[in-house]
């Protein structure tokens, strides 16, 4: 009985109901998108740094080549080296060259001359097929899907090749920078002087190798990620505040517009607890409908937003349930307050209203 009375009272306040529904829906949508895209972003950053080495440095010089790479990779404390400039554009394709060790670290394995790995999200092709680009034939050895947003924002349909293929087919020999990766846990700062001194033997004074970037840059990336997550959570709780205010406003308006009804119910012997239940059900109905709409829009928004920014959403069911529980408790706890206050009105005052 109390449930249906609460539903009927809601129908009499349609304008307030819409406002409250929008607030709750927005809060739940924002929470789900924050959690899903935040978790997806964490995985992208973690997998990207794991693939290319979070503990790494960047060195630069006028002319770095395969001889420098061999010297670097001969050091026992180095995982691998690669040239970030090792890419060539042909029409709308981009050939990205990886040395042998970097290919192994990326989980691809070794590639022979003119063997390629294609990004399946950009290029249609099956393993074993021949890809002809500008008159050259390339054998498709495998496929992958790039998920690093810093890479996917760059132009060109991605094709991974060995450094040998890149150098031979495009006449590349010299590069201006080299990434050097170390095992996790190693103190790379200790090895920087050794690396620079070793490479200085192969270079004249005018083309001396120097340090361009240290592992501190990755700590900065992590700080930015944490800051973005905090901003998203702040926006979510602002939306939650709007939803809570909407529920409070809705129940408050319902109390005011139904004072005489409450008086009649009280005069008929209805207990205060049952009257409170009427307004409790009103809040539950709004929060329930808004919560369902918020979940649907949150999932759709997460996939749409993830597609736009190239971050696949990751849904942690326990986190989502916990966040929704907090949303419901706060919204209902604060929202029912006007109903509790309204139930305290005496029969005479209610009948006068």
């Amino acid at each position: 009985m109390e449930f249906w009375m609460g539903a009927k009272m809601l129908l009499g306040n349609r304008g307030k109901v819409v406002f409250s529904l929008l607030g709750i829906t927005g809060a739940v949508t924002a929470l789900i998108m924050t959690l899903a895209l935040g978790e997806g972003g964490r995985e992208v950053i973690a997998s990207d740094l794991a693939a290319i080495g979070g503990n790494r440095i960047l060195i630069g010089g006028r002319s770095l080549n395969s001889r420098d790479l061999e010297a670097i990779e001969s050091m026992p404390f180095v995982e691998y080296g690669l040239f970030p400039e090792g890419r060539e554009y042909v029409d709308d394709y981009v050939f990205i060259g990886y040395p042998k060790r970097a290919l192994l670290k990326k989980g691809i394995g070794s590639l022979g001359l003119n063997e390629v790995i294609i990004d399946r999200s950009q290029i249609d092709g099956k393993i074993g097929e021949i890809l002809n680009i500008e008159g050259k034939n390339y054998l498709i050895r495998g496929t992958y899907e790039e998920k690093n947003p810093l890479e996917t924002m760059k132009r060109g349909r991605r094709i991974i090749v060995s450094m040998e293929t890149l150098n031979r087919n495009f006449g590349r020999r010299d590069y201006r920078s080299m990434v050097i990766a170390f095992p996790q846990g190693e103190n790379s700062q200790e090895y920087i002087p050794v690396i620079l001194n070793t490479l200085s033997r192969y270079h004249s004074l005018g083309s001396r190798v120097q340090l361009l970037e240290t592992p501190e840059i990755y700590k900065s990336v992590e700080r930015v990620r944490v800051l973005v997550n905090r901003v998203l959570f702040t926006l979510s709780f602002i939306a939650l505040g709007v939803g809570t205010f909407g529920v409070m406003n809705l129940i408050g308006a319902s109390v005011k517009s139904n004072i005489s009804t409450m008086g009649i119910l009280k005069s008929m012997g209805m207990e205060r607890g049952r009257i409170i239940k009427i307004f409790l059900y009103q809040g539950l109905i709004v929060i329930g409908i808004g919560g369902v709409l918020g979940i649907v829009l949150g999932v759709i928004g997460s996939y749409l937003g993830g597609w736009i920014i190239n971050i696949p959403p990751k849904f942690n069911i326990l986190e989502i349930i916990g966040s929704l529980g907090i949303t419901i408790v706060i919204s209902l706890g604060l929202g029912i307050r006007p109903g509790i206050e309204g139930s305290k009105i005496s029969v005479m005052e209610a009948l006068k209203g």
Side-chain angles (χ1 to χ4, degrees):
M1 178 181 175
E2 291 86 356
F3 177 84
W4 296 113
M5 291 187 68
K8 288 180 180 179
M9 289 181 182
L10 283 179
L11 292 175
N13 290 281
R14 291 184 182 87
K16 303 289 185 181
V17 170
V18 171
F19 176 79
S20 302
L21 274 176
L22 289 176
I24 294 296
T25 301
V28 175
T29 300
L31 280 172
I32 289 179
M33 289 185 65
T34 299
L35 292 171
L37 293 178
E39 185 65 27
R42 280 194 292 272
E43 287 202 7
V44 166
I45 291 173
S47 62
D48 182 49
L49 291 183
I52 63 176
N55 187 18
R56 69 178 194 166
I57 63 172
L58 179 69
I59 61 172
R62 185 173 295 178
S63 177
L64 296 170
N65 51 44
S66 57
R67 179 186 60 185
D68 298 302
L69 180 63
E70 291 174 4
I72 288 297
E73 291 190 337
S74 67
M75 299 177 180
F77 48 79
V78 171
E79 272 196 329
Y80 66 87
L82 64 83
F83 301 109
E85 298 160 337
R87 54 178 64 212
E88 284 288 337
Y89 291 89
V90 179
D91 292 333
D92 61 340
Y93 295 95
V94 55
F95 289 84
I96 307 172
Y98 280 86
K100 291 181 180 179
R101 284 200 189 179
L103 285 172
L104 291 172
K105 181 65 178 178
K106 200 170 179 64
I108 293 175
S110 60
L111 289 176
L113 186 64
N114 292 337
E115 293 181 341
V116 302
I117 305 292
I118 60 173
D119 187 338
R120 59 178 171 270
S121 66
Q122 295 183 313
I123 305 172
D124 293 326
K126 297 180 180 179
I127 297 174
E129 290 183 347
I130 299 297
L131 191 64
N132 185 279
I133 301 175
E134 289 287 302
K136 286 187 179 294
N137 291 326
Y138 298 93
L139 175 65
I140 300 176
R141 275 282 308 277
T143 64
Y144 83 111
E145 185 174 356
E146 185 63 68
K147 294 183 178 180
N148 178 7
L150 298 178
E151 184 66 42
T152 54
M153 286 189 293
K154 297 177 182 177
R155 70 181 182 90
R157 293 193 282 174
R158 290 172 288 278
I159 300 175
I160 291 178
V161 298
S162 65
M163 288 303 301
E164 181 186 13
T165 297
L166 191 77
N167 291 338
R168 285 198 184 187
N169 291 355
F170 301 103
R172 295 293 298 269
R173 293 291 182 272
D174 299 322
Y175 302 90
R176 291 185 174 275
S177 61
M178 182 195 303
V179 169
I180 302 172
F182 306 90
Q184 293 295 329
E186 289 283 354
N187 186 358
S188 57
Q189 301 290 342
E190 295 181 359
Y191 303 129
I192 292 174
V194 178
I195 290 171
L196 296 180
N197 289 334
T198 300
L199 293 183
S200 66
R201 301 172 190 169
Y202 303 104
H203 296 267
S204 62
L205 187 62
S207 62
R208 174 171 287 179
V209 178
Q210 57 185 331
L211 180 68
L212 300 180
E213 185 181 287
T214 68
E216 290 298 318
I217 188 67
Y218 300 100
K219 295 180 182 178
S220 299
V221 171
E222 180 63 17
R223 284 195 291 268
V224 170
R225 183 191 66 78
V226 171
L227 177 61
V228 170
N229 277 353
R230 287 176 179 173
V231 170
L232 288 174
F233 271 112
T234 300
L235 293 176
S236 299
F237 281 103
I238 290 175
L240 174 59
V242 172
T244 301
F245 176 77
V247 174
M248 290 178 65
N249 188 49
L250 170 68
I251 296 179
S254 182
V255 170
K256 290 180 181 178
S257 62
N258 291 282
I259 286 179
S260 58
T261 302
M262 290 167 57
I264 294 172
L265 293 174
K266 278 195 169 187
S267 65
M268 293 173 62
M270 181 175 282
E271 299 89 351
R272 178 169 167 247
R274 293 183 65 187
I275 294 175
I276 293 176
K277 281 184 180 180
I278 293 174
F279 297 106
L280 177 66
Y281 286 133
Q282 287 187 34
L284 284 174
I285 291 170
V286 173
I287 292 172
I289 296 174
V292 171
L293 289 175
I295 291 172
V296 173
L297 293 177
V299 172
I300 295 173
S302 296
Y303 280 109
L304 180 61
W307 177 73
I308 293 173
I309 63 178
N310 291 307
I311 293 180
K314 298 291 181 181
F315 297 95
N316 187 316
I317 303 301
L318 292 179
E319 286 187 357
I320 291 175
I321 292 175
S323 299
L324 290 177
I326 293 173
T327 302
I328 292 171
V329 170
I330 293 176
S331 298
L332 198 58
L334 295 178
I336 196 61
R337 186 176 177 182
I340 295 174
E341 295 297 323
S343 68
K344 295 178 181 178
I345 299 175
S346 66
V347 175
M348 295 302 296
E349 285 182 65
L351 291 174
K352 286 180 182 178

